[in-house]
């Protein structure tokens, strides 16, 4: 049994990861590792970067096609898509956030890992209000693959 | 206890009204049900058990469990969880001993329609939309609004675009309602309580508050009555503050009322996982989720959402008891070994003021059983269901089922099943020119949904139901 089946926490090794070049331009990381009948991410991407064999298959991302626009982030009902863009020692992390109060631009928030533990501070860079609010925060690049939630303090 | 700020919902509290509870004047807002308004005032005991007079609180929130029966404007046994509160209403504890003369007089009304649909959830509304293009359709629901379970689903739905994936359940309900009311007649606040075969299909419905008995004559009936939440056996499971998961969703997402401050959830299927997330969104704390199985039953993505908020999920764990004086004050959880026996010394006290049971649903089939349609216990379907063919027609001609009442599944499949039932019913009544093409399309689509890991259970359920149907009808599938 995989850890995510028992604990709801995915390991980095369960994911297909982009290389450095992709991370520099910014790409979507899809943490959707189980076959479920779902496909809105495929329809959401204006660049056809996400594909799926049938509605129950896993979404596959083409890192060459993905431009990191973040459109898929607010659409995914599983809140399973994040965009990471590495800029020097820092990273911009874009994630869905469905709680109140929403953070404000420039605000310092706590970045949480996949277990909800605080790992570092992050600065809110951008807020996009759609059906699901999407927040972009800046944090040290080394935490980019760990941080998956924020806490507004 | 009223939620003031919510990331997704706005609660309309423009109109204040007053009603009386056991003589006391209580404030409420228009649009709240009696039980939710009482809950907001921290009245958690709604009724008492008949023999032992044990307190009973809010449980299912969808008119199925009878925990909320009260006397309203002198009328006994009103289900206060689905009855809207009105200005000046007089709400009292139910009398325990009732005689016929306690019930006020009723009016009788006759209605005729070509197709009657019992239940206005996603299955019933989809059936109505499909059938009303060609026939006179009546949709009946006992709730004060249409939408069934969808009215409390604030999360975005899975599935495909055509089945409205990516849209929140509450919005799907609104879209379906808008579409359905164009051509269907709708009868709300009316429970269908009986079916009679009089050479034609005949239903009896009652609107308790308005004191009307409806006598409904129909050529075809589609039963889309949904499902009922399961209970679990443990000490203290009847304490007020032990809720069905759906009941809590209704309280919180429809009426904007918090069930408590900190909850324990039993069951890590999709319902339990989604509920945990919705509680957090409403600003309510979640102590943990316990799950008896060694693995999480619901979607990984739902579990990941709540784990990253710091909520633990304990697999191979269950609840042993709920304790508290007249209401939930905490729970004891235990770890289970591979044979589901309690591991000695694993007891842990969890402090919480409410408990939500998310341990599955059972199809509501009591009504369709009255028609004489053959039923069968299909484990994969969630219990007793009416046997039906691939067009959703039961062994009783002209009687159809669809949605959760025909197999516990999803809103997406409930909608497609509803369309299939609606289309088949109207075709056999009137003939629809492109019937074959349309129905093939729907059948293909529903089969596509029932693939993969999560599709295997419903697929098996449906295979069994259809196979038994043809066995009972004494003919092969294609004859
Ligand atoms: C927490 C939760 C999360 C879910 N998430 C998803 C999801 O992400 N995607 C998805 O596709 N599905 C989801 N579902 C499942 C989905 O909500 C149900 O499968 C769907 O609502 C079933 O539709 P239905 O029309 O069969 O029944 P219901 O929606 O239950 O509707 C039944 C209706 O019948 C009425 N009724 C019953 N008996 C009578 C009577 N005797 N007289 C008059 N009226 C009656 C009831 O009042 C009700 O309105 C979820 C369910 C829950 C509980
Ligand atoms: S980030 Fe933009 S380009 Fe990349 S997969 Fe998502 S929608 Fe497509
Ligand atoms: S939309 Fe999200 S949950 Fe659905 S398949 Fe795509 S990544 Fe997975």
């Amino acid at each position: 049994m995989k850890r995510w089946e028992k604990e709801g926490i995915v390991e980095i090794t369960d994911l297909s990861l982009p290389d450095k070049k992709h991370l520099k331009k910014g790409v979507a990381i899809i943490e959707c590792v189980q076959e479920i009948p779902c496909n809105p991410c495929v329809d959401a991407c204006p660049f056809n970067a996400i594909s799926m064999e049938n509605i129950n298959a896993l979404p596959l991302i083409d890192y060459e096609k993905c431009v990191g626009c973040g459109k898929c982030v607010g659409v995914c009902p599983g809140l399973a898509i994040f965009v990471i863009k590495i800029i020097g020692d820092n990273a911009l992390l874009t994630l869905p956030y469905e709680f109140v109060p929403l953070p404000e631009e420039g605000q310092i928030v706590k970045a949480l890992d996949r277990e909800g533990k605080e790992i570092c501070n992050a600065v809110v860079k951008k807020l996009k209000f759609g059906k699901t609010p999407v927040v972009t925060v800046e944090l040290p690049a080394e935490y980019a693959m760990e941080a998956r939630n924020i806490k507004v303090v | 206890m009223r939620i003031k700020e919510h990331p997704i919902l706005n609660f309309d509290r423009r109109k204040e009204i007053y009603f009386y509870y056991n003589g006391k004047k209580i404030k409420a807002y228009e649009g709240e049900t009696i039980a939710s308004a009482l809950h907001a005032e921290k009245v958690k005991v709604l009724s008492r058990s008949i023999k032992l007079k044990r307190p009973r609180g809010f449980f299912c929130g969808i008119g199925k469990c009878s925990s909320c029966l009260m006397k309203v404007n002198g009328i006994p046994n009103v289900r206060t969880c689905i009855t809207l509160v009105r200005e000046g209403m007089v709400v009292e504890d139910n009398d325990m001993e009732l005689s016929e003369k306690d019930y006020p007089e009723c009016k009788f009304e006759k209605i005729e329609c070509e197709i009657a649909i019992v239940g206005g959830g996603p299955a019933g509304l989809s059936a109505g939309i499909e059938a009303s293009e060609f026939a006179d359709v009546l949709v009946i629901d006992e709730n004060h609004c249409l939408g069934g379970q969808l009215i409390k689903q604030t999360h975005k739905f899975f599935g495909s675009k055509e089945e409205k994936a990516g849209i929140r359940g509450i919005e799907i309900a609104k879209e379906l309602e808008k579409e359905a009311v164009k051509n269907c007649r709708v009868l709300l606040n009316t429970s269908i309580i009986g079916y009679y075969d009089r050479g034609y299909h005949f239903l009896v419905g009652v609107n308790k508050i308005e004191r009307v008995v409806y006598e409904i004559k129909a050529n075809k009936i589609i039963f889309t009555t949904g499902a009922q939440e399961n209970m679990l056996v443990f000490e203290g499971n009847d304490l007020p503050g032990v809720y069905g998961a759906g009941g809590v969703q209704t309280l919180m997402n429809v009426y904007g009322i918090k069930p408590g401050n900190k909850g324990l959830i039993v069951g890590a299927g999709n319902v339990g996982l989604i509920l945990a997330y919705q509680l957090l969104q409403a600003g309510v704390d979640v102590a943990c989720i316990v799950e008896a199985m060694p693995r999480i039953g619901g979607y990984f993505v739902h579990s990941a959402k709540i784990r990253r908020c710091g909520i633990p999920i304990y697999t191979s764990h269950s609840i042993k008891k709920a304790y508290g004086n007249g209401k939930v004050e905490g729970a004891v959880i235990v770890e289970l070994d591979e044979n589901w026996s309690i591991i000695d010394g694993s007891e842990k006290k969890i402090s919480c003021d409410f408990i939500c049971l998310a341990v599955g649903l059972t199809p509501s089939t009591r009504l369709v059983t009255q028609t004489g349609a053959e039923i069968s216990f299909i484990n994969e379907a969630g219990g007793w269901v009416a046997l039906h063919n691939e067009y959703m027609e039961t062994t009783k001609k002209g009687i159809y089922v669809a949605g959760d009442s025909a197999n516990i599944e999803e809103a997406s499949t409930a909608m497609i099943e509803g369309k299939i039932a609606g289309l088949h019913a109207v075709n056999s009544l009137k003939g629809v020119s492109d019937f074959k093409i349309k129905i093939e399309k729907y059948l293909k689509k529903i089969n596509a949904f029932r693939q993969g890991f999560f599709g295997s259970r419903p697929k098996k359920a449906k295979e069994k139901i259809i196979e038994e149907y043809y066995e009972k009808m004494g003919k092969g599938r294609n004859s």
Side-chain angles (χ1 to χ4, degrees), chain A:
Chain A
M1 205 193 304
K2 292 258 190 198
R3 181 174 179 211
W4 59 260
E5 292 177 88
K6 196 174 161 53
E7 295 180 33
I9 290 168
V10 81
E11 309 256 23
I12 299 288
T13 47
D14 296 325
L15 303 170
S16 83
L17 293 175
D19 56 35
K20 278 211 174 102
K21 167 183 97 191
H22 299 132
L23 285 169
K24 269 198 175 146
K25 71 166 173 171
V27 280
I29 310 287
I30 305 184
E31 303 199 352
C32 182
V33 292
Q34 179 188 41
E35 295 192 348
I36 51 174
C38 183
N39 71 5
C41 53
V42 176
D43 291 325
C45 178
F47 302 93
N48 293 319
I50 307 177
S51 62
M52 210 181 268
E53 224 163 82
N54 62 62
I55 190 159
N56 273 291
L58 295 182
L60 292 176
I61 180 154
D62 182 338
Y63 289 121
E64 291 294 322
K65 286 189 187 164
C66 173
V67 301
C69 72
K71 260 213 151 153
C72 52
V73 176
V75 173
C76 167
L79 309 189
I81 311 184
F82 307 85
V83 172
I84 296 178
K85 183 180 170 125
I86 305 280
I87 309 167
D89 289 341
N90 283 340
L92 288 177
L93 169 70
T94 301
L95 43 77
Y97 189 75
E98 296 188 315
F99 294 96
V100 278
L102 279 171
E104 284 165 23
E105 271 175 39
Q107 192 177 342
I108 295 175
V109 296
K110 294 277 176 214
L112 311 180
D113 67 6
R114 294 183 183 83
E115 282 181 69
K117 288 202 195 104
E118 291 180 13
I119 49 174
C120 62
N121 282 345
V123 185
V124 177
K125 288 287 173 187
K126 213 165 84 189
L127 269 177
K128 222 178 85 203
F129 301 96
K131 279 189 178 159
T132 292
V134 172
V135 181
T136 301
V137 296
E138 188 175 33
L139 39 66
E142 70 223 69
Y143 295 118
M145 279 315 288
E146 298 306 318
R148 287 297 173 266
N149 195 8
I150 53 166
K151 191 163 134 192
V152 178
V153 279

Side-chain angles (χ1 to χ4, degrees), chain B residues 31-55:
Chain B
E32 291 178 345
T33 57
I34 300 167
S36 57
L38 285 173
H39 208 289
E41 288 298 315
K42 299 208 168 93
V43 176
K44 291 210 170 176
V45 180
L46 302 174
S47 68
R48 289 189 174 268
S49 70
I50 292 170
K51 271 200 187 144
L52 300 175
K53 313 272 184 277
R54 289 173 68 90

Side-chain angles (χ1 to χ4, degrees), chain B residues 76 97-105 211:
Chain B
E97 326 293 333
L98 282 176
S99 70
E100 221 158 274
K101 66 174 177 16
D102 293 322
Y103 287 92
E105 286 283 304
R211 312 306 300 155

Side-chain angles (χ1 to χ4, degrees), chain B residues 156-180:
Chain B
K156 291 184 287 182
F157 269 44
F158 290 79
S160 72
K161 209 167 169 186
E162 288 110 284
E163 271 61 55
K164 309 185 191 296
I167 305 181
R168 300 188 191 281
I170 32 174
E171 282 145 24
I172 302 177
K174 279 186 212 136
E175 284 184 20
L176 288 175
E177 173 174 5
K178 212 168 115 197
E179 196 58 28

